[in-house]
Amino acid sequence: MSADRSFDPDHDPDPNPDHDPDPTPDHDPTPDVDRSPRRSVRRDFDDLVAEGAAVPTEGWDFSWFEGRATEARPSWGYARSVGERLAGATAVLDVQTGGGEVLDFALDAAGTRRAPLVVATEGWEPNVAEATRRLRPRGVPVVASADDAPLPFADGAFDLVVSRHPVEPHWDEVARVLAPGGTYLAQHVGPASVFELIEYFLGPLPEENHRHRDPERERADAEAAGLEVVEVRAERLRMEFFDVGAVVHFLRKVVWMVPGFTVEAYRDRLRDLHERIEDEGPFVAHSARHLFDVRKPDTPSRPRAQP
């Protein structure tokens, strides 16, 4: 497990409980410190819920969770890896950039060696504005493009495509916009991510929901699009919520986890969760992540037929 324990929930503007998105970089610019809360007295349920309900949800700043929730990071350091790839590329596309936080960090990591052309897409309107504010001063245009729409770029336009927690990887489109020999580096959300929390509120989900986002299924889809899968790595990572206010803010901010979540609708479950955390300690869930390193062959190959 990575030593980095800062909170990193998910980015996915599709309000569907079997999707698990993620909006902040997989780095932590602050020192590695113990962030568990130092509370020796019970906190009032109504006060905690009110705190979680009052915090603004705009943008993808998750600093409010410090000391209230943690998540381990994948060992491969996705944002750092993107920074390294930016340094060796000429034209880069970041698909579904969220608020631009990861790309912003990667640009810093690449420094003056960054690719001369970097473009980002984003499909969720609040994030388009946030990403534009963050990335435009860095010379990176943000193109508003629906997550399920064809990428608005010419064939073979990029030698590097990156994406962190896309709603769905559209392999045919990735293959189309990649130049021969180009690469796709992405961190995807894996199966049954944060389901402990989701099912606490929604009850057991169908078995197919648990199998959704299987990395081997995604590998097969990538190969069917004519791409070469260089590497796939998968990890499950521990998450902890230290108080019910953090859960409330999380579900208000990451709205696709429990669609239609309101404090009023789930007050009884929230109260039970509050008592459980106070008596037993943090609520524990697990996120699922996998890393895809994929290459488009120099010589176009015929896409494989799906089985």
Side-chain angles (χ1 to χ4, degrees):
M1 180 182 293
S2 168
D4 185 346
R5 299 278 299 163
S6 60
F7 195 56
D8 185 19
D10 303 313
H11 158 237
D12 179 354
D14 185 347
N16 198 325
D18 65 348
H19 288 168
D20 174 26
D22 195 337
T24 58
D26 61 341
H27 75 288
D28 182 3
T30 59
D32 185 17
V33 295
D34 180 3
R35 301 180 178 188
S36 56
R38 305 298 189 195
R39 301 192 190 100
S40 58
V41 296
R42 295 175 68 92
R43 301 194 65 194
D44 181 75
F45 168 75
D46 290 325
D47 289 346
L48 288 168
V49 168
E51 286 180 27
V55 183
T57 58
E58 293 80 7
W60 290 121
D61 178 6
F62 285 79
S63 59
W64 184 86
F65 286 100
E66 185 167 337
R68 308 186 75 149
T70 63
E71 181 185 358
R73 293 290 197 272
S75 61
W76 48 75
Y78 172 75
R80 292 187 296 274
S81 297
V82 171
E84 294 168 1
R85 299 288 181 100
L86 282 173
T90 57
V92 179
L93 172 63
D94 183 17
V95 177
Q96 298 178 29
T97 192
E101 296 88 348
V102 177
L103 183 56
D104 187 51
F105 174 81
L107 289 166
D108 277 341
T112 58
R113 302 171 299 152
R114 58 169 276 186
L117 174 64
V118 182
V119 182
T121 69
E122 174 56 32
W124 197 35
E125 186 175 347
N127 274 347
V128 172
E130 178 69 13
T132 299
R133 180 194 65 77
R134 177 174 283 110
L135 298 175
R136 178 183 288 168
R138 312 205 64 160
V140 178
V142 177
V143 179
S145 178
D147 297 329
D148 58 354
L151 293 169
F153 306 104
D155 296 359
F158 302 98
D159 58 333
L160 174 63
V161 175
V162 298
S163 188
R164 186 169 186 267
H165 303 186
V167 176
E168 294 285 347
H170 297 292
W171 295 109
D172 288 340
E173 281 296 288
V174 169
R176 183 183 65 79
V177 301
L178 272 176
T183 57
Y184 173 75
L185 180 69
Q187 182 174 294
H188 293 180
V189 174
S193 190
V194 202
F195 268 33
E196 297 96 334
L197 183 64
I198 294 171
E199 293 188 324
Y200 177 85
F201 289 96
L202 298 182
L205 295 175
E207 184 59 31
E208 176 58 26
N209 292 49
H210 287 256
R211 294 194 299 267
H212 184 62
R213 297 179 179 271
D214 183 287
E216 290 308 312
R217 185 182 299 179
E218 292 189 357
R219 178 202 291 268
D221 291 343
E223 292 173 343
L227 298 167
E228 297 176 355
V229 178
V230 178
E231 182 181 31
V232 178
R233 298 172 63 182
E235 294 181 2
R236 290 191 68 82
L237 305 159
R238 183 181 177 92
M239 302 175 66
E240 297 180 345
F241 293 87
F242 295 114
D243 67 63
V244 73
V247 173
V248 169
H249 183 45
F250 176 73
L251 295 179
R252 289 177 58 241
K253 195 174 185 74
V254 192
V255 296
W256 40 90
M257 288 288 180
V258 179
F261 172 83
T262 65
V263 169
E264 292 73 22
Y266 289 96
R267 180 170 288 274
D268 290 344
R269 291 299 283 161
L270 288 168
R271 187 178 292 278
D272 290 345
L273 183 58
H274 168 70
E275 295 297 330
R276 172 175 167 177
I277 292 173
E278 291 291 318
D279 292 341
E280 302 176 12
F283 182 89
V284 176
H286 296 84
S287 61
R289 305 285 182 257
H290 48 266
L291 181 75
F292 265 92
D293 191 353
V294 176
R295 180 178 180 275
K296 182 173 181 175
D298 293 303
T299 302
S301 58
R302 178 176 298 177
R304 276 187 201 177
Q306 289 276 19

